[in-house]
DNA sequence: ATTTGTGCAAAGAGTTTGCAACCAT
DNA sequence: ATGGTTGCAAACTCTTTGCACAAAT
């Protein structure tokens, strides 16, 4: 863990970005977080629980800085709140619970086939894509069966 | 066009939602708009040009009402601004220009295959999905070649 | 020593809400 | 008539910015 932070520190230094206490704490959080899609205020709360005060503007600025340094990646879900994840080696997409917002990873990516379609059939130049599946995670399927049945009827595969 | 509005009116009446002047104007806009992914303030501006004043809160409330009536669909892109489109018969996804935000449709949908994977390999219950491809449309590829080359190098298929 | 980063306070954008007046049914 | 709807004003949430001070290199 400290090893990983040191590697990141060197990566940042090459872009003359300083490894401050604040950035270290934010990165440490991403490195330990299993659920690893974090909002600014989730980060603030998590750090507060470890008795680390940090201003929200600092967090926002650092998320942006770390994202443009290529260390974090900005992910926009459908609730209009900015979320970030560590840029990992492997490319993936998300399963997102509509009830609790918990996210799981899937390794499948439909992009290759579709990219071919877009490149050959349109004038569009694709550079990025997003594929997210929304639904209910194991826990929330149990909690809320009535509601889920309603929803499923109303908007199946919409 | 007036025929379509009348059909929609009946559809709304079944849910005891009144077809007000404001709702009619909003729907008329979606029915005539070729580019058909609209934000609240785009709607306000478009209506203002036709000398129809409408308060933003009215627009927000109606977009929400029409969406929960199943007439419109809420689409979240990656810029944290709420967009809506008419719920049409056919299922589609979008190509979105990073430069001008213009959107094109694609009919391809990767969901079927992946749904099978998720259903068989995970405990997740999928109900909705989003697949969007970002890049540069024909016009913006010309305008901005230098920038596009930079971007393409930096984040190819990220 | 220099350059970059922080906290605080204030401002901004997009969106939501309470309420009295209004309009569609 | 009456219950849903509107416009206005104000509030709210998330995010950004200016600035003086502090910390990292």
């Amino acid at each position: 863990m400290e090893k990983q932070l040191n590697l990141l520190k060197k990566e940042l230094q090459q872009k003359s970005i300083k490894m401050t206490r604040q950035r270290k704490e934010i990165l440490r959080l991403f490195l330990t977080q299993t659920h690893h899609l974090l909002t600014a205020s989730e980060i603030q709360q998590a750090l507060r629980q470890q008795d680390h005060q940090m201003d929200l503007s600092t967090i926002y600025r650092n998320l942006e800085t770390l994202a443009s340094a290529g260390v974090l990646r900005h992910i926009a879900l459908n609730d209009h709140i900015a979320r970030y994840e560590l840029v990992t080696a492997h490319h993936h997409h998300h399963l997102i619970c509509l009830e609790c917002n918990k996210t799981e990873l899937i390794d499948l990516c439909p992009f290759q086939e579709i990219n071919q379609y877009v490149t050959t059939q349109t004038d569009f130049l694709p550079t990025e894509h997003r594929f997210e599946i929304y639904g209910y995670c194991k826990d929330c399927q149990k909690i809320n069966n009535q509601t889920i049945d309603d929803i499923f009827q109303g908007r199946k595969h919409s």
Side-chain angles (χ1 to χ4, degrees), chain A residues 10-23:
Chain A
K10 280 172 197 152
E11 197 176 329
L12 292 179
Q13 282 180 333
Q14 290 172 6
K15 296 164 186 167
S16 54
I17 296 174
K18 294 174 181 168
M19 179 58 99
T20 61
R21 175 180 69 78
Q22 287 81 347
R23 281 172 192 158

Side-chain angles (χ1 to χ4, degrees), chain A residues 6 15 34 38 41 47-48 58-59 62 79 84 88 95 103 108 111 136 141 149 154:
Chain A
N6 268 328
K15 296 164 186 167
T34 55
L38 295 172
S41 88
L47 293 180
R48 187 176 292 145
T58 302
I59 296 173
N62 282 332
D79 59 359
Y84 288 82
T88 53
L95 305 178
T103 59
L108 272 182
F111 186 67
Y136 295 92
Q141 286 172 48
D149 287 346

